[in-house]
């Protein structure tokens, strides 16, 4: 996994003194092995009320039909698909962290992959609720699977990207779940070994008989790499195909060749923002400052600048090529985006997604926990607007001016959306109580090479270049988990 | 964790003499002869245009590979990559050739725009430039002219000779300045040690990546997409980036392997090769992804202003090559480099690197020829000779640059990590 030698200038992935394997287990399992505190109960109550709102809003939709939403003849797809794409996009960061960063041997993934991947799974579940709820007759959901003809000659339309989406997302969900669960096995076994009674029996079944032998670990490492190799093309394919739901059409503003990679970049962007939103709070509340360090926060902020800028290149390319194409419908679609009645949505998107992440160029901002959190929320909002701009702004003024309209969401639209956020947080808060939010086994791998105490030992032994050691100490000044006496 | 006793000679320098020098000079002579043949001896109707198309192809390819070397350097600094520290002098040598490549490309484009020949367009004789005739032919943007073209006129504020050439000069000039800065910082680091030059490299790498990221799409819209000026595709910029990056990585891998075979870079091991192989594998898939997404979306929507691009490439003159492009640049690297062990075999990696370099020549050929010589395309002395000539030019200048510095950036803070690289 790790190289034999790690340069002293690399910032620590684990901080704190006297961090032992036992202490990692003890600290990470505090929320799992103890009764929840008041903060958790408050959070959970709010989230569960949100989830309840979702149940009410979706039940009402099923009872009255899709007419409960604000759709009209021209804008036949609006908040429903916006919410779907938003959630699927958020899901991407988890797989990126757990799979792509594993392939790149990026050790900093070790302490954030678990919760990021849980977030992925919950986000995909939220996305799936949109698919099912806007089917109108969800009890016929199985019609989107290619069933044998004995079932009635109802083959799905394989030419439709919506069907590709069914395959892409269900495959992605299954593989993510397997990958996440496989990674959990050694940690579930740790919980099992410390538990008693029924609890022990439950975790025993869940741990699939993990015994921690060398052979088991070897298989674990091998299967992790294989699943990472399988997940990587899958995660890229998911948002590619989501983008094709739009880009295969003839709709100006939807049909453009850059969509697939641009959607993927946007998905990673929004996913990392959501990881920040969750982990910046979780690390504080659960006391994980030593494991999710300033390096992790800064690295994720850097990915947010990178992907935000890629998305920015895509926005500008689209705008430029719309002009360059000379096709008047294309030109109008973009003129309408920039200066039409939905100008505020376009400029919110531009401000939130392209301009505000550029603030992370300032080290002060990207190493500030407060600003990182605020900007992560801004990006979440911006990415919702991006989908709204693409979908509603393109549809609301189509080829026939007599059918031009505006879209007005109903209270049900709003409740379904807010409710889905409730569902998401309910699941995430439950996850924090029953499973370790940090991959303990993987963090333990880092103690000997990438932790602050290992580096202090090297420096104390005088084995490192003093200039580089100085550089290392200077980099620690921004850490909230390293005492000022150890920095410069 | 143990410390090795290094037995490698880190002040070793590449000696640019003997066969590499002779062969690269011979290749340059072949290129000059091929250019002379194309302009003077070849008597076919489109000989001058064909020679220019080939010059553009290789000039662009040459610049792309050098730019990819610069991009590689910047990415290594920004990503704080450790594994590559001991091979950085190779992409640095690429970067040092970038200014030369840039000047050659600008000269080719300018010469192509300012030399004219007579062509027949819908029965009318027109004096068209040898490159970029679809937008640079006189009268296309003039409503009074009989050649007036409304679509081209709409783009004339962007596609006009002064703006076109100044964009190219500014972009390539900027890339070249950064290329020079990176190599200078690295050399200063050899002399001074410390963290100062590393930090500067890091900072300038960030700035470079922003500039490069925002301008390369325009660079490829200009240089290649505007050859068929009516056509447009938002993906084209990233498609060209993918081609540039794969060919740059293949060129880095090929250079490293050949130097290892000549007894240099003894401190690199299978893991370095493996990592380069992974990059070639991954970005070949990325190239295919971008290629396929562009193709599928245009095919599916079936709008005439977009499909015309692929329609031309499905004419009998191009169709077999159109598919061969996918076979070489996608199927081969995927099938050959899929296994871990293959990425660690020097000769196999060398084969794939050469295959990909040839494959992306074909890729550029498929981008450039339909918009220039169109149905008169061939493979002959002009194509092969000019390709050899530019390969020789690249080898000559790059190896010359490489020979000027020690082969290891000895004070690079991640050097030890790279020397102990093991995956």
């Amino acid at each position: 996994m790790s190289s034999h030698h790690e340069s002293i200038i690399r910032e620590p992935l684990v901080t704190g003194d006297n961090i032992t394997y036992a202490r990692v287990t003890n600290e990470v399992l505090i929320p799992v092995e103890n009764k929840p505190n008041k903060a958790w109960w408050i959070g959970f109550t709010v989230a569960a009320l949100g989830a309840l709102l979702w149940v009410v809003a979706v039940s009402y939709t099923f009872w009255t039909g899709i007419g409960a939403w604000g759709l009209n003849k021209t804008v036949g797809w609006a908040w429903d698909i916006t919410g779907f794409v938003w959630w699927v996009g958020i899901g991407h960061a988890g797989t990126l962290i757990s799979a792509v960063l594993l392939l790149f041997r990026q050790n900093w993934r070790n302490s954030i992959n678990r919760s990021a991947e849980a977030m992925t799974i919950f986000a995909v579940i939220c996305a799936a609720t949109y698919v099912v709820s806007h089917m109108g007759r969800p009890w016929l959901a199985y019609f989107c699977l290619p069933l044998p003809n004995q079932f009635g000659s109802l083959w799905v339309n394989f030419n439709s990207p919506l069907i590709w989406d069914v395959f892409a997302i269900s495959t992605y969900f299954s593989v993510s779940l397997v990958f996440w669960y496989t990674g959990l096995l050694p940690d579930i076994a740790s919980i099992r070994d410390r538990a008693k009674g029924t609890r022990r029996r439950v975790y025993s079944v869940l741990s699939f008989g993990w015994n921690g032998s060398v052979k088991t670990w070897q298989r674990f490492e091998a299967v992790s790499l294989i699943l990472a190799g399988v997940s990587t093309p899958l995660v890229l394919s998911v948002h590619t195909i989501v983008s094709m739901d739009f880009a295969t059409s003839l709709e100006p503003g939807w049909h453009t060749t850059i969509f697939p990679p641009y959607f993927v970049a946007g998905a990673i962007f929004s996913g990392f923002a959501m990881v920040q939103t969750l982990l910046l709070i979780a690390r504080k509340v659960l006391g994980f400052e030593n494991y999710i360090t300033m390096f992790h926060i800064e690295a994720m902020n850097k990915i947010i600048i990178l992907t935000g800028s890629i998305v920015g290149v895509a926005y500008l390319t689209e705008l430029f090529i719309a002009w360059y194409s000379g096709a008047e419908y294309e030109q109008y679609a973009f003129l309408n985006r920039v200066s039409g009645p939905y100008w505020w949505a376009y400029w919110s998107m531009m401000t939130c997604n392209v301009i505000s992440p550029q603030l992370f160029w300032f080290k002060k901002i990207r190493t500030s926990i407060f600003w990182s959190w605020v900007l992560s929320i801004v990006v979440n909002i911006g990415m919702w607007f991006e989908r709204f701009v693409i979908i509603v702004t393109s549809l609301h003024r189509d080829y026939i001016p007599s059918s031009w309209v505006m879209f007005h969401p109903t209270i049900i639209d709003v409740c379904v959306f807010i409710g889905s956020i409730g569902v998401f947080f309910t699941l995430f808060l439950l996850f924090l109580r029953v499973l370790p939010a940090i991959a303990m086994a993987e963090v333990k791998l880092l103690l000997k090479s990438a932790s602050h105490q290992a580096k202090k030992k090297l420096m104390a032994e005088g084995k490192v270049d003093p200039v580089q050691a100085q550089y290392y100490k200077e980099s620690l000044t921004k850490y909230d988990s390293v005492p000022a006496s150890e920095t410069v | 964790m143990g410390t090795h006793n290094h037995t490698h000679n880190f002040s070793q320098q590449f000696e640019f003499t003997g066969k590499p020098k002779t062969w690269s000079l011979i290749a340059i002579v072949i290129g000059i002869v091929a250019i002379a043949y194309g302009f003077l001896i070849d008597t076919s109707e489109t000989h001058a245009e064909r020679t220019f198309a080939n010059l553009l192809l290789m000039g662009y390819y040459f610049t792309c590979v050098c730019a990819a070397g610069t991009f590689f350097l910047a990415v290594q600094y920004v990503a704080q990559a450790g594994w590559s520290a001991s091979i950085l002098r190779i992409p640095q040598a690429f970067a040092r050739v970038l200014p030369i490549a840039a000047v050659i490309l600008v000269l080719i484009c300018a010469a192509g725009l300012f030399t004219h020949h007579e062509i027949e367009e819908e029965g009318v004789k027109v004096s068209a430039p040898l490159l970029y005739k679809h937008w640079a032919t006189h009268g296309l943007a003039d409503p009074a002219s009989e050649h007036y073209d409304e679509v081209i006129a709409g783009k004339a504020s962007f596609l006009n000779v002064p703006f076109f050439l100044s964009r190219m000069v500014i972009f390539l000039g900027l890339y070249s300045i950064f290329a020079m800065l990176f190599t200078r910082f690295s050399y200063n680091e050899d002399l001074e040690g410390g963290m100062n030059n590393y930090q500067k490299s890091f900072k300038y790498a960030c700035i470079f990546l922003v500039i490069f990221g925002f301008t390369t799409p325009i660079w490829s819209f200009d240089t290649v997409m505007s050859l068929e000026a009516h056509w447009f595709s938002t993906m084209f910029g990233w498609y060209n980036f993918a081609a540039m990056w794969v060919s740059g990585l293949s060129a880095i891998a090929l250079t490293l392997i050949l130097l290892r075979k000549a007894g240099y870079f003894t401190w690199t091991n299978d893991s370095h090769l493996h990592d380069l192989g992974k990059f070639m594998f991954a970005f070949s898939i990325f190239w295919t992804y971008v290629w396929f997404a562009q193709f599928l979306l245009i095919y599916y929507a079936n709008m005439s202003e977009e499909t015309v691009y692929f329609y031309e490439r499905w004419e009998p003159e191009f169709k077999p090559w159109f598919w061969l492009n996918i076979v070489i640049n996608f199927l081969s690297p995927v099938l050959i480099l899929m296994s871990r062990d293959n990425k660690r075999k020097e000769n196999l990696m060398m084969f794939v690197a050469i295959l990909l370099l040839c494959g992306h020549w074909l890729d550029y050929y498929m981008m450039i020829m339909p918009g220039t010589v169109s149905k008169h395309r061939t493979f002959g002395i002009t194509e092969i000779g000019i390709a050899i000539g530019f390969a020789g030019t690249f080898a000559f200048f790059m190896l010359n640059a490489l020979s000027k510095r020690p082969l290891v950036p000895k004070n690079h803070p991640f050097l030890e990590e790279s020397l102990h690289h093991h995956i």
Side-chain angles (χ1 to χ4, degrees):
Chain A
M1 279 285 291
S2 55
S3 67
H4 287 307
H5 184 282
E6 179 167 315
S7 169
I8 186 73
I9 67 169
R10 292 204 186 274
E11 291 175 27
L13 299 178
V14 179
T15 55
D17 286 317
N18 308 320
I19 303 277
T20 56
Y21 294 151
R23 188 169 153 198
V24 173
T25 315
N26 288 335
E27 290 190 351
V28 172
L29 289 184
I30 288 173
V32 181
E33 293 178 334
N34 296 287
K35 288 235 150 52
N37 58 16
K38 212 191 225 170
W40 186 88
W41 276 115
I42 296 171
F44 184 75
T45 311
V46 174
L49 284 174
L52 192 68
L53 184 67
W54 179 83
V55 172
V56 171
V58 169
S59 306
Y60 182 78
T61 304
F62 288 160
W63 192 258
T64 54
I66 296 297
W69 298 346
L71 305 174
N72 54 52
K73 269 191 199 164
T74 308
V75 185
W77 235 15
W79 276 43
D80 42 9
I81 193 76
T82 303
F84 163 76
V85 180
W86 190 68
W87 280 119
V88 175
I90 285 170
H92 277 56
T95 320
L96 195 97
I97 290 168
S98 55
V100 180
L101 294 186
L102 178 68
L103 294 180
F104 277 110
R105 304 294 195 280
Q106 295 295 302
N107 290 335
W108 61 273
R109 69 181 268 292
N110 290 16
S111 52
I112 53 171
N113 61 358
R114 172 69 44 75
S115 24
E117 228 185 320
M119 177 206 80
T120 291
I121 288 164
F122 305 145
V124 176
I125 290 174
C126 287
T129 65
Y130 272 100
V131 176
V132 175
S133 67
H134 92 260
M135 279 175 178
R137 283 176 285 172
W139 49 92
L140 298 179
Y142 59 85
F143 275 21
C144 63
L145 301 172
L147 298 162
N149 274 4
Q150 290 91 316
F151 225 84
S153 50
L154 272 170
W155 274 92
V156 292
N157 179 6
F158 284 108
N159 288 337
S160 163
L162 293 173
I163 281 305
W164 309 344
D165 236 354
V166 172
F167 295 128
I169 292 182
S170 50
T171 317
Y172 173 59
F173 181 75
S174 328
V175 172
S176 297
L177 197 63
V178 171
F179 196 9
W180 181 63
Y181 199 79
T182 316
L184 270 165
L185 288 175
D187 287 357
I188 293 177
S190 303
I191 304 176
R192 170 199 67 194
D193 295 344
R194 294 154 61 99
K196 287 191 179 69
T198 322
R199 205 179 139 78
R200 187 182 177 98
R201 275 197 291 282
V202 171
Y203 281 101
S204 181
V205 171
L206 292 178
S207 70
F208 288 4
W210 177 276
N211 59 11
S213 69
V214 175
K215 199 76 194 167
T216 332
W217 279 109
Q218 278 175 343
R219 291 195 182 111
F220 177 80
E221 296 257 320
V223 83
S224 299
L225 268 180
I226 290 170
L227 284 172
V230 174
S231 304
T232 303
L234 269 179
V235 65
L236 301 182
S237 80
V238 170
H239 234 57
T240 296
I241 289 170
V242 169
S243 82
M244 286 176 182
D245 292 343
F246 307 100
T248 49
S249 71
L250 297 175
E251 187 76 28
W254 285 10
H255 174 71
T256 185
T257 49
I258 206 171
F259 254 36
Y262 146 45
F263 264 50
V264 172
I268 296 166
F269 178 58
S270 66
F272 269 92
M274 188 57 98
V275 173
Q276 291 280 49
T277 307
L278 296 175
L279 285 188
L280 288 172
I281 293 179
R283 100 190 248 281
K284 199 86 199 162
V285 175
L286 303 176
F288 290 159
E289 284 101 333
N290 278 337
Y291 309 112
I292 299 170
T293 67
M294 192 49 79
F295 178 78
H296 295 93
I297 298 169
E298 206 185 341
M300 287 194 274
N301 284 336
K302 285 176 183 172
I303 290 181
I304 289 176
I305 312 181
L306 171 69
T307 46
S309 303
I310 292 176
V311 167
V313 172
Y315 291 162
L316 295 178
T317 304
E318 273 196 298
L319 205 57
F320 170 71
I321 294 289
W323 170 79
Y324 177 91
S325 71
E328 61 178 329
Y329 298 114
E330 195 70 22
Q331 290 178 337
Y332 179 73
F334 279 85
L335 188 68
N336 186 44
R337 266 189 202 182
V338 176
S339 60
Y342 282 115
W343 63 271
W344 47 270
Y346 182 82
W347 291 104
S348 306
M349 163 187 103
M350 272 291 186
T351 315
C352 296
N353 291 350
V354 185
I355 299 166
S356 67
Q358 306 302 329
L359 290 171
F360 281 140
W361 285 109
F362 299 102
K363 198 177 181 102
K364 272 237 166 72
I365 295 180
R366 72 171 183 268
T367 55
S368 148
I369 290 172
F370 174 74
W371 285 111
S372 299
W373 193 81
V374 169
L375 283 172
S376 80
I377 296 289
V378 168
V379 170
N380 285 325
I381 296 171
M383 285 308 288
W384 188 88
F385 270 111
E386 180 196 291
R387 278 60 176 255
F388 180 81
V389 165
I390 292 172
I391 293 156
V392 173
T393 315
S394 302
L395 284 177
H396 89 121
R397 288 193 166 174
D398 60 7
Y399 289 101
I400 311 168
S402 63
S403 62
W404 287 4
V405 288
M406 298 293 282
F407 171 79
H408 301 285
T410 61
I411 185 81
I412 303 297
D413 275 309
V414 180
C415 290
V416 170
F417 179 61
I418 294 173
S420 71
I421 297 174
V423 172
F424 177 77
F425 279 97
T426 308
L427 291 168
F428 193 78
L429 286 166
L430 285 174
F431 154 75
L432 291 180
R433 301 251 44 101
V434 292
L435 292 167
I438 287 181
M440 301 183 286
E442 293 180 49
V443 167
K444 287 173 191 170
L445 287 175
L446 305 174
L447 289 191
K448 289 266 160 67
S449 56
S451 68
H452 180 49
Q453 61 188 16
K455 285 173 188 280
K456 269 203 295 193
K457 194 169 153 225
L458 277 181
M459 287 189 287
E461 288 165 356
K463 281 185 181 162
V464 290
D465 179 274
V467 182
Q468 295 188 4
Q470 178 74 9
Y471 180 86
Y472 170 74
K473 284 186 192 159
E474 278 168 17
S475 72
L476 295 175
T477 48
K478 62 199 187 200
Y479 277 63
D480 58 351
S481 53
V482 173
S485 60
E486 289 173 27
T487 63
V488 177
Chain B
M1 292 290 279
T3 48
H4 280 257
N5 279 327
H6 300 303
T7 50
H8 308 291
N9 173 13
F10 287 148
S11 52
Q12 185 187 30
Q13 279 186 243
F14 174 69
E15 281 180 44
F16 189 35
T17 49
K19 272 190 192 164
K21 196 165 202 166
T22 320
W23 281 109
S24 49
L25 287 171
I26 290 174
I28 294 174
V29 173
I30 292 175
I32 293 168
V33 170
I35 296 169
Y37 166 85
F39 280 127
L40 307 171
I41 303 170
D42 188 0
T43 51
S44 63
E45 194 193 339
T46 52
H47 69 103
E49 196 178 10
R50 177 180 158 199
T51 313
F52 260 111
N54 278 289
L55 284 170
L56 177 71
L57 193 169
M58 284 312 296
Y60 182 61
Y61 198 175
F62 179 26
T63 315
C64 280
V65 168
C66 296
T70 315
F71 181 74
F72 185 91
L73 290 173
V75 170
Q76 303 311 302
Y77 279 107
V78 169
Q80 300 171 351
W83 70 278
S84 58
S86 67
I87 60 163
L88 278 189
R89 284 283 139 91
I90 294 174
Q92 277 174 18
F94 286 27
R96 284 168 59 87
V97 189
L98 181 57
I100 300 168
V103 169
I104 293 176
L105 179 62
V106 171
L107 287 178
I108 291 170
C109 290
L113 281 166
F114 291 123
T115 47
H116 288 73
H117 68 156
E118 289 263 301
I119 54 165
E120 233 185 61
E121 192 122 306
E122 289 163 11
V124 192
K125 289 245 183 233
V126 191
S127 166
L130 285 162
L131 278 178
Y132 305 111
K133 63 183 175 191
H134 286 237
W135 58 267
T137 300
H138 190 69
L140 284 176
D142 176 9
S145 161
E146 55 179 332
H147 313 307
Y148 179 67
D149 183 321
E150 204 185 342
V151 176
I152 298 301
K155 309 183 188 199
S157 55
F158 181 75
L159 289 180
N160 60 71
V161 176
F163 193 26
F164 176 89
L165 285 177
S166 34
R167 275 196 305 274
M168 190 172 274
V169 170
I170 291 169
F171 294 167
L172 296 180
L174 279 172
Y175 305 163
S176 302
I177 290 170
F178 281 94
M180 291 295 102
L181 283 175
F182 294 143
T183 51
R184 193 203 292 166
F185 292 147
S186 180
Y187 187 54
N188 286 348
E189 185 179 68
D190 278 7
L191 303 176
E192 299 160 8
M195 292 296 293
N196 189 18
N197 285 294
Y198 172 79
Q199 280 172 283
K200 272 199 273 187
S201 304
F202 195 111
K203 193 167 117 193
Y204 282 90
C206 292
I207 302 170
F208 170 74
L209 288 179
V210 173
I211 294 174
F212 196 71
F214 278 88
T215 55
T216 43
I218 307 173
W219 180 38
S220 60
F221 293 157
D222 279 346
T223 321
V224 186
M225 196 167 88
S226 80
L227 288 167
E228 285 154 275
H230 293 87
W231 183 76
F232 54 89
S233 166
T234 40
M235 184 72 106
F236 203 79
W238 289 351
Y239 172 52
N240 269 255
F241 165 77
M244 166 196 315
W245 187 222
V246 172
S247 36
L249 289 165
S250 304
I252 292 171
L254 181 63
T255 313
L256 176 66
I257 295 168
L258 290 174
L259 286 165
R260 272 161 58 119
K261 281 180 183 288
Y264 299 98
F265 284 95
T266 48
W267 48 86
T268 59
N269 57 37
D270 292 352
S271 293
H272 295 96
L273 211 57
H274 188 169
D275 272 349
L276 283 169
K278 281 196 275 190
F279 268 125
M280 282 154 63
F281 174 79
F283 283 97
S284 289
I285 295 177
F286 176 73
W287 173 87
T288 318
Y289 166 66
V290 171
W291 183 97
F292 178 73
Q294 177 172 277
F295 177 76
L296 176 86
L297 292 175
I298 289 174
Y299 163 84
Y300 199 117
N302 200 12
M303 293 155 87
S304 50
E305 66 262 38
E306 292 183 348
T307 45
V308 60
Y309 185 81
F310 291 106
Y311 183 84
E312 299 228 347
R313 282 150 183 81
W314 277 41
E315 294 287 299
E317 293 81 7
F318 287 103
K319 200 170 183 178
W321 306 103
F322 177 82
W323 291 115
L324 184 68
N325 188 13
I326 293 295
V327 172
I328 299 187
N329 290 319
F330 173 58
L331 284 182
S332 318
V334 164
L335 295 178
I336 302 175
L337 294 183
M338 177 77 83
S339 95
R340 169 187 182 276
D341 292 353
N342 282 356
K343 290 190 272 274
R344 293 170 167 254
K345 289 182 187 141
E346 214 170 41
N347 288 330
L348 199 62
M349 276 285 288
M350 186 166 79
F351 171 73
V352 178
I354 294 171
L355 195 69
L356 284 174
L357 285 168
C358 296
H360 284 286
W361 179 84
L362 180 64
D363 187 21
Y364 289 128
Y365 184 89
M366 292 303 300
M367 290 186 219
I368 288 170
M369 294 303 161
T372 51
V373 292
S374 180
K375 287 179 185 170
H376 301 288
R377 63 139 288 271
T378 41
F379 292 115
I381 297 176
T382 318
E383 281 73 23
I384 296 165
I386 291 179
I388 292 175
F390 272 90
T393 315
F394 172 71
F396 181 83
F397 285 111
M398 188 271 288
L399 291 174
N400 189 44
L402 191 70
S403 69
K404 296 286 190 316
R405 303 269 189 267
L407 292 174
V408 164
K410 62 178 180 188
N411 291 325
H412 194 290
F414 290 129
L415 183 62
E416 280 295 316
E417 280 191 14
S418 183
L419 296 175
H420 295 90
H421 185 47
H422 173 76
I423 44 172

